[in-house]
Amino acid sequence: MAKVSRYVHGTHREEQQRLADLNTLINSLSLTALGPQPGERVLEVGAGLGQFARAVATATGERVVAVERSPEQLGRAQQLEAQANDTGAIDWREGDALALPLTEDEWGSFDVAHARFLLEHVPDPQAVVDAMAKAVRPGGRVVIEDDDHEMFRPWPEPPHVLSVWRAYIRTYDRLGNDPLVGRRLVQLLASAGLKPSRIDLLPFGACSGQAAFEPFVCNLIQIFTGAREAILATGGASEEEFEGALASLTTFAKRSDGAFWYTISWAEALKP
């Protein structure tokens, strides 16, 4: 049976480059929050292009088991690994987050299980967190990072951008996914039988005086462009509004007084 994609952006080369650029912007924040320790055995669920998994492997000095559903993403991840001379740092597993490809003796053996920007793209996030909880040992950590898409506030507000953003949020609903799952992370962890221990909000954005400001705005332009058909199909934004949003974001990226406000919801729990 063919896999049904619930990822609105696709896995084409332009999307892979967007994700690679995004990793460059945010990986250090996620790595600091995760705090991997030398010797820890880590499971990365929804590894994407593997850049974060490779950073974790460097921090722990151990191979990271990285699960990725898309063969296109997996192939590109292995190319990037080879280009970075990191071959051997990752134990790649092609498989679904809803059916983790672990051996019998691997269940309950990991020190840390981590997932980022994954739960918003699955129909049953609780099942994913339940599996991550099963994968870690007693005393192990489960760490999840994800989006609450209502956290976005650009200012001064670029014309048409928020109306297109709201239509973009509706593309998640249409796929049976939850665009607001970031606010539910602690509940998901607790419902998996874990003991929530810490939350955080990681900054995803910048102001015009920071070098990252224009790249963050460009990332949003690329998100809109890649999801154009799905956004327009919701009926929440017209062609004119969509084109107006792209034009106003291009101008916004050059403002001297702009701010791109967004946060990544981050939560950690321990296995009793």
Side-chain angles (χ1 to χ4, degrees):
M1 181 181 295
K3 295 178 180 178
V4 176
S5 177
R6 292 179 179 270
Y7 186 65
V8 69
H9 307 290
T11 56
H12 50 80
R13 185 52 63 94
E14 291 81 5
E15 172 62 10
Q16 290 177 342
Q17 186 59 54
R18 181 188 74 82
L19 292 175
D21 294 342
L22 184 59
N23 273 269
T24 300
L25 288 170
I26 65 176
N27 274 358
S28 62
L29 288 170
S30 289
L31 192 67
T32 298
L34 180 64
Q37 298 300 304
E40 285 189 321
R41 191 156 185 258
V42 179
L43 170 67
E44 180 74 7
V45 183
L49 298 180
Q51 291 158 286
F52 187 71
R54 287 192 281 113
V56 171
T58 298
T60 63
E62 302 288 337
R63 293 188 83 195
V64 170
V65 173
V67 176
E68 173 53 41
R69 180 176 186 266
S70 164
E72 294 84 5
Q73 295 288 77
L74 189 60
R76 181 57 178 158
Q78 292 171 324
Q79 290 176 357
L80 292 172
E81 180 186 41
Q83 291 171 11
N85 294 317
D86 279 344
T87 303
I90 307 299
D91 178 357
W92 294 104
R93 310 279 179 92
E94 182 178 347
D96 199 302
L98 293 168
L100 293 176
L102 302 178
T103 63
E104 185 176 348
D105 62 340
E106 286 177 321
W107 290 103
S109 70
F110 292 93
D111 298 296
V112 182
H114 173 262
R116 184 178 69 185
F117 301 149
L118 170 67
L119 302 180
E120 63 187 300
H121 298 298
V122 297
D124 189 354
Q126 187 65 65
V128 175
V129 179
D130 288 349
M132 293 172 70
K134 182 181 176 184
V136 300
R137 61 170 177 79
R141 298 186 292 148
V142 174
V143 177
I144 46 180
E145 306 179 54
D146 229 299
D147 286 318
D148 179 335
H149 283 85
E150 289 188 352
M151 301 294 283
F152 177 47
R153 290 294 183 274
W155 195 263
E157 186 177 315
H160 307 296
V161 168
L162 289 185
S163 60
V164 174
W165 180 257
R166 286 188 288 269
Y168 169 66
I169 290 175
R170 290 181 59 190
T171 68
Y172 284 77
D173 299 328
R174 288 192 164 205
L175 290 171
N177 301 330
D178 182 2
L180 310 180
V181 72
R183 66 185 65 178
R184 298 171 52 203
L185 299 185
V186 171
Q187 182 182 40
L188 292 169
L189 292 166
S191 295
L194 301 168
K195 183 179 180 180
S197 57
R198 185 159 67 97
I199 64 168
D200 207 342
L201 288 174
L202 306 187
F204 182 108
C207 71
S208 56
Q210 296 174 283
F213 176 67
E214 188 168 350
F216 273 119
V217 178
C218 289
N219 177 70
L220 181 57
I221 292 173
Q222 292 168 329
I223 286 174
F224 282 174
T225 301
R228 178 191 182 102
E229 290 185 12
I231 290 171
L232 293 176
T234 69
S238 66
E239 288 264 8
E240 182 179 8
E241 288 173 315
F242 186 89
E243 294 301 330
L246 295 184
S248 66
L249 281 171
T250 300
T251 300
F252 182 70
K254 303 296 184 181
R255 290 192 70 120
S256 62
D257 62 348
F260 187 106
W261 300 95
Y262 197 73
T263 54
I264 304 168
S265 299
W266 189 100
E268 175 188 85
L270 304 177
K271 185 172 182 176

